[in-house]
Amino acid sequence: MVSRRNKEQQKTNSISDYRSDFPILTREVYGQPLVYFDNGATTQKPRCVLETIQRFYNEINANIHRGVHKLSDESTLEYENAREVVRGFLNARKSSEIIFTSGATASLNLVAFSFGEVFVSQGDEVLVTEMEHHSNIVPWQLLCERKGAKLKVLPFDENGELILDELPKLLTPKTRIVAVTHVSNTLGTVNPIAEIVRIAHSQNVPVLVDGAQGVKHGIVDVQQLDVDFYAFSGHKIYGPTGIGVLYGKEEWLDRMVPWQSGGDMIATVTFAKTTFNELPFKFEAGTANYIGAVGLVTALTYYSRIGIEAATSYEGELLQYAIERLSEIDGLTIYGNAREKAAIISFLLKDIHPYDTGMVLDKMGIAVRTGNHCTQPVIDHFGIDGTVRASLAFYNTFEEIDRLYDALVKIKAMFG
Ligand code: PLP
């Protein structure tokens, strides 16, 4: 293995010392120590999250909001406390602006339906970007089909940066909402959300941000960004699967209709008429994933304790190193060279199908993602079949990048 890291650089590694908090990272795959580079798809979970979930099931578990007994009380308290922690994490004004969902996809669908039902009519326009995940395209497409509205698209350039000059031209008096990703899961581009919000708000257009990748990339302050909605999944920020968040400004949430109905979201039910519960319960039908919510805030607290900025800055160093090393490989192309880029690197080896690269890397113990990453328009933009994507987290190391480099050199020789 050829490592370019010198001793001075190695010192900055200390953040990855937290690696030992993640039990799964000690396992082997095909006889090799696991290199987990699929963090964009889901992150691994620290021991404290796993222990919290187990403790909750062992000691507290009872359905929330409904029981008169002690366990239900404790469960409810932990769930509502989790909401308050998320409020603080995003710096929302009120905890009633925090809605628990099953994940980013559910949060985006919630807005597309509940906002769309009230505010989007025939002939109106919805603006998304060319780099959205399918979860932030298809719900809007379905809404537009249902309402007879038009889906418009803000393009990105060859570096994978949104062409912001086009934004004011695409906004018209008919635009009802702009839906944009904070960070592209394929290109790594970090979008200038505050600037996009400023431009959209100058035309009185609200902005929804898909924060699935963005929430772990630096501190998110929804009041400072002035976003109208912010959606993310717990499992991409070291929390459990099946829990997600939608932040929405009260002024919008209050006027939106429920998207799912059933228990907990009602105030009164008669066969003649149902009235709805107040925020945030209006949008939380059925038994909530209260244990997921508690697991999520354990993850958020853990991540904050490590230091989100320190983690992001270390990931930036890893990314820089990965770009340098991978660029040494003749015939390797990197897709996405934005000036502001999160630790996601999409690439192709010339004449080698991404699935082949991914399969062989797997056999070498290196987990990456291949394909279109649920962003078919991004892949189409470049006229390719897909990419190999290595997405990094703070528990990854420079040595693991060396292993990726060595493996790619071997794969190139193998297929060459
Ligand atoms: N948006 C982006 C940018 C993503 O990367 C993903 C998942 O990869 C999603 C939305 C959907 O997230 P989930 O599947 O957790 O709902």
Side-chain angles (χ1 to χ4, degrees):
M1 189 183 294
V2 194
S3 179
R4 291 283 184 82
R5 300 289 298 176
N6 63 32
K7 287 231 160 51
E8 202 48 45
Q9 287 170 309
Q10 298 281 5
K11 280 187 201 159
T12 62
N13 266 17
S14 58
I15 192 105
S16 66
D17 293 348
Y18 290 102
R19 183 180 173 87
S20 59
D21 293 338
F22 294 77
I24 202 171
L25 297 178
T26 57
R27 72 162 283 182
E28 294 194 341
V29 172
Y30 301 113
Q32 312 255 17
L34 167 68
V35 174
Y36 187 75
F37 280 160
D38 198 15
N39 296 287
T42 199
T43 53
Q44 299 302 347
K45 318 304 168 201
R47 199 171 283 104
C48 58
V49 169
L50 306 174
E51 285 170 356
T52 296
I53 293 168
Q54 196 174 22
R55 176 188 64 85
F56 209 105
Y57 276 118
N58 280 337
E59 296 174 14
I60 300 177
N61 181 45
N63 210 330
I64 52 168
H65 295 153
R66 292 168 200 177
V68 290
H69 56 83
K70 177 82 175 140
L71 262 53
S72 179
D73 240 22
E74 287 182 10
S75 222
T76 303
L77 217 71
E78 292 236 20
Y79 180 65
E80 291 306 329
N81 179 53
R83 199 189 304 279
E84 175 56 23
V85 174
V86 174
R87 184 208 63 72
F89 188 79
L90 294 178
N91 193 31
R93 237 164 20 99
K94 296 179 173 181
S95 60
S96 55
E97 294 180 317
I98 302 297
I99 295 155
F100 284 118
T101 66
S102 63
T105 299
S107 300
L108 298 168
N109 272 275
L110 190 165
V111 181
F113 181 85
S114 299
F115 175 94
E117 276 306 291
V118 180
F119 295 104
V120 179
S121 313
Q122 179 150 23
D124 284 344
E125 295 167 359
V126 169
L127 183 60
V128 297
T129 86
E130 196 186 3
M131 66 171 75
E132 297 309 309
H133 188 280
H134 297 162
S135 291
N136 203 23
I137 298 174
V138 185
W140 299 110
Q141 215 162 33
L142 292 177
L143 169 72
C144 288
E145 279 170 20
R146 214 166 55 240
K147 294 284 186 167
K150 187 171 172 195
L151 189 70
K152 291 170 80 173
V153 182
L154 176 67
F156 64 80
D157 65 19
E158 288 316 295
N159 287 323
E161 292 185 356
L162 289 175
I163 306 175
L164 273 202
D165 289 350
E166 294 291 320
L167 180 55
K169 297 179 215 156
L170 285 163
L171 293 170
T172 76
K174 289 179 174 174
T175 313
R176 293 291 161 255
I177 193 163
V178 173
V180 56
T181 192
H182 191 169
V183 171
S184 160
N185 62 307
T186 300
L187 303 170
T189 311
V190 181
N191 285 319
I193 295 300
E195 177 66 358
I196 291 170
V197 169
R198 194 190 57 72
I199 296 169
H201 281 184
S202 72
Q203 307 293 319
N204 296 319
V205 178
V207 177
L208 168 141
V209 176
D210 172 1
Q213 303 292 336
V215 69
K216 103 182 212 313
H217 184 79
I219 290 165
V220 173
D221 182 328
V222 291
Q223 289 192 74
Q224 199 176 15
L225 290 171
D226 201 21
V227 295
D228 299 275
F229 301 98
Y230 195 92
F232 73 92
S233 294
H235 70 100
K236 291 187 196 284
I237 184 164
Y238 313 107
T241 52
I243 185 78
V245 169
L246 173 69
Y247 156 78
K249 279 185 185 165
E250 186 180 60
E251 64 191 86
W252 290 113
L253 293 177
D254 257 345
R255 289 182 285 162
M256 286 159 51
V257 291
W259 78 305
Q260 288 182 336
S261 48
D264 237 24
M265 52 76 72
I266 52 88
T268 60
V269 178
T270 66
F271 285 111
K273 185 166 172 60
T274 294
T275 58
F276 302 124
N277 206 340
E278 59 192 8
L279 288 176
F281 312 112
K282 181 170 94 172
F283 293 108
E284 293 183 359
T287 297
N289 184 359
Y290 50 92
I291 299 187
V294 171
L296 167 62
V297 300
T298 306
L300 297 182
T301 308
Y302 170 82
Y303 194 35
S304 302
R305 209 175 60 233
I306 288 176
I308 300 172
E309 276 164 341
T312 306
S313 142
Y314 170 70
E315 286 174 14
E317 288 178 44
L318 282 178
L319 174 72
Q320 247 351 88
Y321 184 59
I323 292 172
E324 278 166 32
R325 292 247 64 194
L326 267 52
S327 302
E328 290 169 20
I329 302 174
D330 205 25
L332 185 144
T333 306
I334 293 173
Y335 296 88
N337 298 299
R339 284 160 295 180
E340 276 282 321
K341 190 169 152 78
I344 292 172
I345 180 162
S346 266
F347 61 91
L348 280 179
L349 282 167
K350 190 163 183 275
D351 298 332
I352 306 178
H353 196 277
Y355 289 120
D356 291 332
T357 308
M359 298 272 282
V360 182
L361 284 174
D362 177 47
K363 295 291 181 291
M364 297 173 171
I366 302 172
V368 293
R369 187 140 288 239
T370 61
N372 66 32
H373 318 296
C374 295
T375 58
Q376 211 177 308
V378 173
I379 298 302
D380 291 347
H381 178 111
F382 292 105
I384 52 180
D385 291 334
T387 70
V388 181
R389 182 187 74 181
S391 47
L392 316 178
F394 66 83
Y395 43 62
N396 289 127
T397 65
F398 294 96
E399 293 71 24
E400 289 180 317
I401 288 168
D402 290 331
R403 267 187 64 194
L404 176 65
Y405 169 85
D406 290 341
L408 291 172
V409 169
K410 279 190 195 139
I411 291 169
K412 196 181 155 215
M414 210 184 277
F415 284 85

